[in-house]
Amino acid sequence: MLTRLLPKRGPARTLTGVTLVHTLGQGMWMALNAIYATSVLKLSPGEFGIGVGVAAGVALALSTPSGHLADRIGPRAVQIWSFLALGPLTAALLFVDGFRQYLLVLSLQAVAYSASRSARMAMVAGLIPPEDRVSVRAYLRATSNVSVSVGAALAGLALVADTPAVYRAAVVLNAATYLATGLLTLLLPAVPPQPARPGPALVVLRDRPFLTFVVLDGLLSMHNLLLDVVLPLWVLHHTGAPRWMIAVILITNTVAVVLLQVRAARGTDEPGAAARASRAGSLCLGVACVIFALTEGASAAVACALLVAGALAHVLGEIRQSAGSWGMSFGLAPEHAQGQYQGTAAMGADLGKMIAPALLTWLAIEHGAVGWLIMAVGFAAVGALMPPVARWADRVGRSARTREPAAS
């Protein structure tokens, strides 16, 4: 198991250790965030939702500028200071009194979080050779799944205790993981900052093929909400399967990602191959949606078998689509602007998370099997566009290189 989770010694293994610490706190807090806000801070569910939405908007708006900052001053410095800032900003939740203070703290956290996320991917691009970046990213995802699961288990213990003191202790632990992540980043080599270049600072905003990829990738990334949000409601209200099948599906997904993600990422370092991986992943996602559609009205035994089959098809699509996404985001980005490109790429997933809960729930819960079939067609159609986008980006890149000598 350790050989599956840990890459060879060097920066990649250190990055993995940093990710393990960081995602441990994330996994715990994802399960406790809403409980703390509503039970301890006495906020209404609506106020909690507004706070989370505003924070997501702040992080989305700052993704590209924070990535540019990582390029200019070096991603290690940005990652260190953003995580060191997240520590006290998280601890500040202990002293929040009212919705306005809560909104302010979450907005400031979002600023630091956005910077840390862009810097982490710029660190991967700066420390890892191009041919190994996608495989290292796969290692990071596999290990983060393990760490998030451990964090969720810790959250489960807190939920069993169900006291304000225990929830406040969880806030302290989460803040400590941020501080530890910032300090552990000191173990990584520094990535040289990129000097200022003539022309616009945010060159990614003029890169139409890359922006098209970001939009398409964001639409494909909506599948991440299927298992967490849509399928539990579907199992409860549209199938005869028992409730515990929700846990079986989630566990199946976690174990499969840990075991298969690194293998699924092989051969996706070049944009063309990565685009084909995204297309293959989208087809698997489409098959999963068709299988989930067949569970409507099925007997308990048949529904359980189909749900497991659909979960397996979904996770195959997930790991191939993820590998394709990383290969294209790294491969289409110029080396001097990896920070702003990776920050912009993250915006696609953010947009997908914002759209998916309402859209996919509406399709599945309100329209049943027909809604699942619409999702299947949608995922397959979006994935089919990835190879043409990769070829478009290659043509634009070759054209730019052809013009470069003339400009000099």
Side-chain angles (χ1 to χ4, degrees), residues 27-53:
M28 178 188 66
W29 193 243
M30 282 190 297
L32 297 179
N33 190 11
I35 303 297
Y36 183 82
T38 55
S39 298
V40 179
L41 300 181
K42 305 302 182 183
L43 301 177
S44 69
E47 288 174 330
F48 168 72
I50 292 171
V52 172

Side-chain angles (χ1 to χ4, degrees), residues 98-122:
F99 174 63
R100 290 185 179 180
Q101 292 183 15
Y102 181 72
L103 191 61
L104 175 62
V105 170
L106 256 62
S107 298
L108 293 174
Q109 282 182 324
V111 174
Y113 169 77
S114 179
S116 71
R117 182 177 61 179
S118 298
R120 286 200 308 275
M121 292 304 98

Side-chain angles (χ1 to χ4, degrees), residues 38 151 167 178 222 261 283 319 379 401 406:
T38 55
Y167 292 138
Y178 283 128
M222 291 196 298
Q261 182 66 81
L283 291 175
I319 58 180
F379 282 130
R401 289 191 295 271

Side-chain angles (χ1 to χ4, degrees), residues 49-76:
I50 292 171
V52 172
V54 169
V58 171
L60 181 69
L62 294 179
S63 287
T64 301
S66 62
H68 177 60
L69 179 66
D71 289 327
R72 290 298 306 277
I73 70 174
R76 190 179 76 158

Side-chain angles (χ1 to χ4, degrees), residues 251-270:
I251 292 170
T252 300
N253 178 268
T254 300
V255 172
V257 169
V258 171
L259 296 178
L260 301 176
Q261 182 66 81
V262 174
R263 183 175 298 179
R266 291 172 184 166
T268 58
D269 302 288
E270 181 268 326

